[in-house]
Amino acid sequence: QGCLETNLTNTLEIIDINPDVGSFSLYMNNATSVAGFLFSIEGAEVSSASGGSAEEYGFHMSINSDSTTILGFSLIGAVISSGSGVLIDIAYHNTFDEFICLNDIIFSDQDASQIDIEIEEPCFEVELYYDCFGELNGNAFIDNCGVCVSENSDPDENIDCNGDCFGDAVVDECGVCNGNNIDQDCNGDCFGDAYQDSWGECCYEPDLDICNQ
């Protein structure tokens, strides 16, 4: 009587790649129970690692200080049973290479023995982002006059008070755009009532007798 042939291969697959938000998932098919895993991400920095069967089985997941290596294990000795499904969801940022790859992949069983695991395509391609200054992952942007400016710039900094790009209109001391301070009276008061008499004296209406001496 023949024996039933069983597929004992342990595999990983990168799925659900979303470069717009910077995320992907790892799908695992494991014939062997998994007690822990360790792998590194090349080409970007890891923002978070959560979800999937790792979270379902209560695995503690940590990211190293340089945001490139993910470690997952159970603090109480739990294992991920054999089966298939999403192992973990990963978010990334600061992409610095055209390819994001999984490297140094180590999986272990409950006896701390290494599990052989295969991944057919350990990399996926991403489009690098350069800002208008040509800086990779930079934050410079094009302002409202078509000028590349630094991230903390006012997008209207090249627009004058008339709304003209690169115009020379300015707000005068009376708050009037391009007013040239013509709304100041002879005392320098905006919209004031003082005026110059025929002698060149600056006067108010009640002082006409004094001004006209």
Side-chain angles (χ1 to χ4, degrees):
Q1 202 172 23
C3 295
L4 179 66
E5 186 176 339
T6 305
N7 183 3
L8 299 178
T9 303
N10 302 297
T11 61
L12 281 178
E13 181 183 359
I14 298 174
I15 64 169
D16 296 336
I17 301 167
N18 189 337
D20 292 333
V21 299
S23 66
F24 65 92
S25 299
L26 284 182
Y27 188 91
M28 180 176 69
N29 178 52
N30 58 306
T32 307
S33 296
V34 173
F37 56 82
L38 174 72
F39 55 85
S40 62
I41 304 293
E42 182 179 323
E45 295 180 14
V46 178
S47 304
S48 65
S50 61
S53 56
E55 187 171 293
E56 179 185 348
Y57 282 87
F59 274 37
H60 171 76
M61 287 173 279
S62 64
I63 303 168
N64 72 339
S65 58
D66 62 2
S67 302
T68 58
T69 301
I70 298 172
L71 171 66
F73 63 95
S74 171
L75 296 172
I76 59 173
V79 296
I80 300 174
S81 303
S82 58
S84 59
V86 172
L87 169 66
I88 192 172
D89 301 313
I90 297 169
Y92 63 88
H93 66 287
N94 284 348
T95 306
F96 53 85
D97 200 303
E98 292 180 353
F99 290 91
I100 294 178
C101 299
L102 264 64
N103 286 324
D104 307 318
I105 302 170
I106 300 174
F107 277 65
S108 62
D109 62 17
Q110 56 192 355
D111 297 322
S113 298
Q114 187 167 335
I115 300 170
D116 290 330
I117 194 159
E118 299 175 0
I119 181 166
E120 185 175 347
E121 293 290 342
C123 301
F124 62 91
E125 190 171 2
V126 293
E127 184 176 350
L128 296 179
Y129 169 74
Y130 293 89
D131 69 13
C132 53
F133 283 139
E135 181 179 347
L136 180 62
N137 299 315
N139 294 313
F141 64 96
I142 304 296
D143 73 4
N144 291 328
C145 287
V147 177
C148 183
V149 295
S150 59
E151 61 178 306
N152 295 319
S153 300
D154 180 353
D156 293 330
E157 68 178 13
N158 288 306
I159 299 178
D160 70 8
C161 57
N162 272 331
D164 299 324
C165 285
F166 318 114
D168 56 8
V170 294
V171 177
D172 69 9
E173 294 178 16
C174 292
V176 178
C177 180
N178 217 22
N180 296 317
N181 292 324
I182 62 174
D183 294 299
Q184 287 182 334
D185 65 13
C186 56
N187 272 330
D189 298 325
C190 288
F191 313 108
D193 296 324
Y195 73 100
Q196 279 187 326
D197 68 4
S198 59
W199 297 91
E201 298 289 338
C202 187
C203 299
Y204 292 97
E205 193 72 26
D207 299 328
L208 283 178
D209 56 336
I210 298 174
C211 263
N212 290 326
Q213 284 181 356

